[in-house]
Amino acid sequence: MSYIALWSFNSLIYYMKLTSKISFTLGIRTLLLVLMLGFAMSFLQTYIDFKNREQEVDASIASIIDATKDSASNAVWKLDEDLAALAIKGLTYFDHFSSVTIVDEIGNVLAKSEQKQIEQNNKVLSFFGIENIQNDEVILSYTKGPINSALIKPLESGMMIVSINMHSALGDVYDRAIRTFVISLAGYVFISLTLVMLYHFSLAAPLMRLASRFERVNTSSITEQSISKLKGHESDEFSKIIDSANDLLGRIASGQILLTQRSQRFRLILDTAPAIIYSLDSNAKFVFANKATASFYGYSIFDLKGKSASEIIEPVDSALMEVLQDFLEGDARQTDKVVEAYDSHKMKCVMEMSFVKFHTYDGQSILVVGNDVTKRVEAEEKIENLAYCDSLTNLPNRNKVYERLNSQEIADADSQFHVAILADLDQFKRINDTLSHSVGDQLIIKLSQRLSKEFNGIGFIARLGADEFLCHSQQLSSSRTIANKTAEELAEKLRLCINREIDIGLHRYNLSASLGVVVFKPGFETADEILQYADTAMYESKKAGRNCATLFQDKMATDAAELLKLERDISSAIFNDEFFFVLQPLISSETMEVTSAEALIRWNRNDKIVPPDDFIPFLEESALIVDVGDKMLNKVCELLANLKERGLLADRFKVAVNISGKQLSEMSFIDKVTNILRKHQVSGHHLEFEITESVALDNMKDTIAKILELKKVGISFSLDDFGTGYSSLSHLKDLPVDKLKIDRSFINDINVDIQDENLVKSIIQLADNLGIVTVAEGVETKQQVNWLKENGSMLLQGYYFSRPILPDAFIAKYLELDSEVVDLTNS
């Protein structure tokens, strides 16, 4: 039994192998096609034979019936049964007549003959549309008279009923059809087997040999390979297939070489790239990793391949593993994130990572690219720190203050009043100039630390500039009155905190500050407006004597608006050339002659002279004074050039011009002055620059250097308002000035106040010892003139001699040769 099963199994395997061959498949298909075509042709031939035979049978039957018809008609006419039987007997000799019956005209049977039927029902006949038994009825008639007479009509006398067995009649056709089918089938099978063999040896066998040669091609080799041609098929289609295959192999080899080179370059690029680049499959296993990745996680490239990310990344960076897992399970195709990543030593760095999904043959994978941006982030943080923090104190700077005061979030979340307190250290420039900037920086740092500690949790402390601080406190109260009171208390606390002594080394220093206080609601004023209001209030504190706090009032805003209008008007005046100067003479106390003059600025606005006190204090604080001062210097040099051309410029005559601190601090000030002198072709010894003590002591080193440089072109310098500043005597010896102008406040009371008298004497004596010329300002009485003449040789200036007058009037009165000699002693 097992032998039969084994044989059956082997037969099944053989059959499966046989049926898989192309020759077998083609043979079966050919056989089926030939059979179908042969069957169709045989069927057609059989059909034609049947139809032809049917016609022959019909003709034969008709001929036989015609031969018997007369005797049958005679028998019916005579009603002779024997004669009828004799007529039928002749028909029964034919096998295909199944039955014959003769009846008279009333239906009586005269004779009947039946044969056993061979087959009552034949499907073949039915298929060709032929009935198995055909029944024919033949009318029997008799004619009286001459047979050929056309006028005699035959008389119907009966009927002969004939049943014909078509199966018997067409029997020979059946035999011929069967022989044809059998012979054709045998021929078709033989042809098919022949074709199978032909297919096998001509097609299948060469294909098998060709396939075996294709199988021997080494696909892993990148060297060019070729397939030899089949014997006997050197020039047919197989040859063309082999040529095409060899061409394809050549192109594949070239492509493999190129691909290998590209792969090597790609691998080299990836391995030398500083970025972390790796790929994970759908199971979060490493498919690829470059050297940077392997180094980052402390493995080699080959060790990483096939390892699970949870095994490599999870122990050192669980947060990144969660990000990878979420991306693998999510629907996003690509994600970019900045994450904090940890290496194998658990060192933190900032990574800019990209995650991209892509499809592979075994499912979905992800590509991860990470760039270490730690240094960039640190640099950005440093830049942001520089942008929003003061480099010296690390306090928030002006940019941070603007961001905070303009914050919409604070405005939306808070409806209570806030306070901004601006503190400007009093006379801090003096500390920088006298004690050095390093000491000043240490004081600022110490003060910043104290303010940060004292106001921690109370207010936001920022440094706006060199010696300016801001305290911002939130949520004072929803009541303006309470908020104002709280703001004043906070400002006083800030002032006292600044006033406390600061120890630096073995020395102690005291600071004071002028404070401007602004109470506001967030969202109603901009940062610019708040700081402007605080600045305005702070200047009110300075006017009040410094070291105090002033709460901003609406009137100050009005004053600030007026100052803004004044600034616009001054800008317009500069453009329209509305500024001019007048001259006030300086008189020698010995000869009582005019030796020089001071040029004083005036403003003609709409044909009205604006009082100097209405615009000069503002102009001295504004940057516009640089443009105005340049115009005045040009106009004075233009006057000197005109006097020189007219021969009225004495060699020792000078015109003094006031120079502001902003002018003197310009880097290009010296070049600007020399260019103006060169433009008007005027010598510098006809010019004198007046500077105040505060201007001289502001960056004293730079001031001295510029004075000495300008002295080289002949320009002299005078120190204006001497005695009203600070540390005048200690710095006077260092300043290379030529004149000292005693302020009018000391001259006014020299005849009535013994202290002023002694002070002026001391100044005159000091100037004389230093070889400096003294100028007394504000001389208005005869008694003042006499006292000054008795106490030294100097220059006198004041209303006693002349008010400031226009240059043309000054020239006509003091410089023209034909002018009358003016008795200044009796003026």
Side-chain angles (χ1 to χ4, degrees), residues 417-688:
F417 285 100
H418 291 202
V419 62
I421 305 172
L422 178 65
D424 184 84
L425 300 182
D426 296 327
Q427 300 179 348
F428 190 74
K429 290 181 180 180
R430 174 174 58 87
I431 294 176
N432 281 331
D433 292 338
T434 57
L435 301 178
S436 80
H437 284 276
S438 63
V439 174
D441 289 346
Q442 292 181 60
L443 284 172
I444 291 294
I445 293 171
K446 290 274 189 180
L447 178 60
S448 300
Q449 293 171 349
R450 178 191 294 173
L451 293 177
S452 297
K453 183 178 179 181
E454 292 285 336
F455 288 86
N456 184 26
I458 300 174
F460 167 82
I461 300 295
R463 186 187 182 205
L464 298 185
D467 56 357
E468 281 189 340
F469 292 87
L470 181 90
C471 176
H472 172 228
S473 183
Q474 298 177 233
Q475 300 179 345
L476 298 184
S477 174
S478 56
S479 167
R480 166 70 76 169
T481 303
I482 297 174
N484 287 348
K485 184 178 179 181
T486 306
E488 289 174 347
E489 293 173 355
L490 189 62
E492 182 62 17
K493 177 180 175 67
L494 179 62
R495 187 185 69 81
L496 294 175
C497 185
I498 295 172
N499 285 165
R500 295 209 311 264
E501 288 183 340
I502 297 177
D503 295 333
I504 297 179
L506 300 176
H507 301 281
R508 291 187 173 182
Y509 300 91
N510 291 95
L511 297 176
S512 66
S514 301
L515 280 67
V517 185
V518 180
V519 175
F520 64 95
K521 271 194 174 182
F524 287 87
E525 288 93 6
T526 64
D528 279 321
E529 292 172 332
I530 293 168
L531 293 179
Q532 182 182 347
Y533 297 157
D535 201 52
T536 301
M538 183 268 292
Y539 276 107
E540 291 297 324
S541 296
K542 286 188 178 292
K543 290 178 183 178
R546 298 187 172 93
N547 195 27
C548 62
T550 303
L551 182 65
F552 179 80
Q553 304 293 337
D554 291 340
K555 183 179 180 301
M556 296 179 187
T558 304
D559 294 341
E562 291 178 355
L563 289 176
L564 185 61
K565 182 178 181 303
L566 180 60
E567 183 177 12
R568 289 197 297 267
D569 290 344
I570 290 175
S571 297
S572 177
I574 295 172
F575 180 77
N576 296 323
D577 198 22
E578 294 177 359
F579 290 105
F580 64 99
F581 68 91
V582 292
L583 296 173
Q584 189 174 27
L586 275 72
I587 312 300
S588 171
S589 62
E590 293 180 346
T591 63
M592 300 305 291
E593 294 179 351
V594 175
T595 60
S596 56
E598 180 181 2
L600 302 169
I601 187 171
R602 295 293 184 266
W603 182 8
N604 182 7
R605 181 171 63 180
N606 299 326
D607 296 329
K608 292 183 180 179
I609 303 301
V610 179
D613 291 341
D614 289 353
F615 72 91
I616 288 180
F618 171 80
L619 194 59
E620 287 176 345
E621 298 293 331
S622 171
L624 295 173
I625 196 169
V626 174
D627 293 333
V628 175
D630 292 345
K631 282 184 174 291
M632 291 302 101
L633 184 59
N634 259 297
K635 288 179 181 290
V636 168
C637 288
E638 186 179 358
L639 171 68
L640 292 172
N642 181 264
L643 291 174
K644 178 182 177 182
E645 185 179 352
R646 293 165 60 184
L648 300 177
L649 185 61
D651 186 58
R652 302 185 64 181
F653 183 78
K654 291 178 179 291
V655 177
V657 180
N658 287 281
I659 300 298
S660 70
K662 290 182 173 59
Q663 284 179 276
L664 193 61
S665 64
E666 279 192 307
M667 295 289 293
S668 60
F669 179 69
I670 295 176
D671 292 337
K672 191 182 293 184
V673 171
T674 53
N675 288 335
I676 292 173
L677 291 174
R678 191 179 299 111
K679 172 184 174 183
H680 296 287
Q681 296 183 349
V682 175
S683 175
H685 75 269
H686 291 296
L687 271 181
E688 183 174 281

Side-chain angles (χ1 to χ4, degrees), residues 240-474:
K240 291 183 179 180
I241 291 174
I242 291 173
D243 290 340
S244 300
N246 287 333
D247 180 63
L248 179 61
L249 287 173
R251 284 187 278 122
I252 289 174
S254 300
Q256 283 180 323
I257 293 171
L258 182 61
L259 186 62
T260 302
Q261 292 173 346
R262 287 180 178 177
S263 178
Q264 290 173 346
R265 286 198 298 267
F266 179 66
R267 184 78 212 197
L268 181 62
I269 291 169
L270 289 179
D271 285 340
T272 56
I276 288 176
I277 305 171
Y278 59 90
S279 175
L280 302 177
D281 62 15
S282 56
N283 296 319
K285 290 185 177 180
F286 280 91
V287 177
F288 164 83
N290 68 343
K291 284 186 178 179
T293 305
S295 176
F296 189 80
Y297 289 112
Y299 287 84
S300 69
I301 295 174
F302 303 103
D303 290 339
L304 276 181
K305 190 171 182 180
K307 290 284 183 70
S308 174
S310 59
E311 180 184 349
I312 304 299
I313 301 175
E314 179 78 29
V316 295
D317 198 345
S318 58
L320 178 60
M321 190 63 212
E322 288 182 11
V323 173
L324 288 170
Q325 202 64 45
D326 291 342
F327 181 69
L328 273 169
E329 297 172 357
D331 297 328
R333 303 299 306 168
Q334 182 172 352
T335 300
D336 296 322
K337 286 187 177 182
V338 177
V339 298
E340 291 182 352
Y342 295 86
D343 62 10
S344 58
H345 303 292
K346 293 195 175 182
M347 295 292 292
K348 185 177 77 171
C349 62
V350 181
M351 282 281 184
E352 199 173 63
M353 305 195 80
S354 296
F355 308 90
V356 181
K357 285 182 182 173
F358 62 94
H359 289 286
T360 59
Y361 68 93
D362 55 351
Q364 187 168 254
S365 300
I366 65 170
L367 176 68
V368 181
V369 179
N371 289 300
D372 187 351
V373 293
T374 306
K375 291 183 179 179
R376 191 189 76 189
V377 170
E378 290 175 352
E380 288 174 352
E381 289 175 352
K382 187 174 181 180
I383 291 171
E384 184 176 0
N385 187 62
L386 291 173
Y388 289 99
C389 290
D390 178 60
S391 58
L392 179 64
T393 64
N394 208 33
L395 287 176
N397 61 9
R398 184 179 292 270
N399 293 334
K400 190 65 178 178
V401 169
Y402 269 79
E403 184 183 84
R404 182 179 177 89
L405 295 180
N406 286 327
S407 173
Q408 191 60 41
E409 292 181 5
I410 296 178
D412 294 339
D414 195 354
S415 61
Q416 294 187 324
F417 285 100
H418 291 202
V419 62
I421 305 172
L422 178 65
D424 184 84
L425 300 182
D426 296 327
Q427 300 179 348
F428 190 74
K429 290 181 180 180
R430 174 174 58 87
I431 294 176
N432 281 331
D433 292 338
T434 57
L435 301 178
S436 80
H437 284 276
S438 63
V439 174
D441 289 346
Q442 292 181 60
L443 284 172
I444 291 294
I445 293 171
K446 290 274 189 180
L447 178 60
S448 300
Q449 293 171 349
R450 178 191 294 173
L451 293 177
S452 297
K453 183 178 179 181
E454 292 285 336
F455 288 86
N456 184 26
I458 300 174
F460 167 82
I461 300 295
R463 186 187 182 205
L464 298 185
D467 56 357
E468 281 189 340
F469 292 87
L470 181 90
C471 176
H472 172 228
S473 183
Q474 298 177 233

Side-chain angles (χ1 to χ4, degrees), residues 51 54 119-122 124-136 164-168 170 174:
K51 287 298 183 181
E54 182 185 13
E119 188 177 344
Q120 298 297 323
N121 187 18
N122 191 305
V124 177
L125 296 178
S126 301
F127 183 79
F128 288 110
I130 302 173
E131 294 180 1
N132 191 44
I133 300 297
Q134 290 186 4
N135 295 313
D136 289 336
I164 302 169
N165 187 340
M166 295 302 295
H167 178 75
S168 176
L170 300 175
Y174 294 152

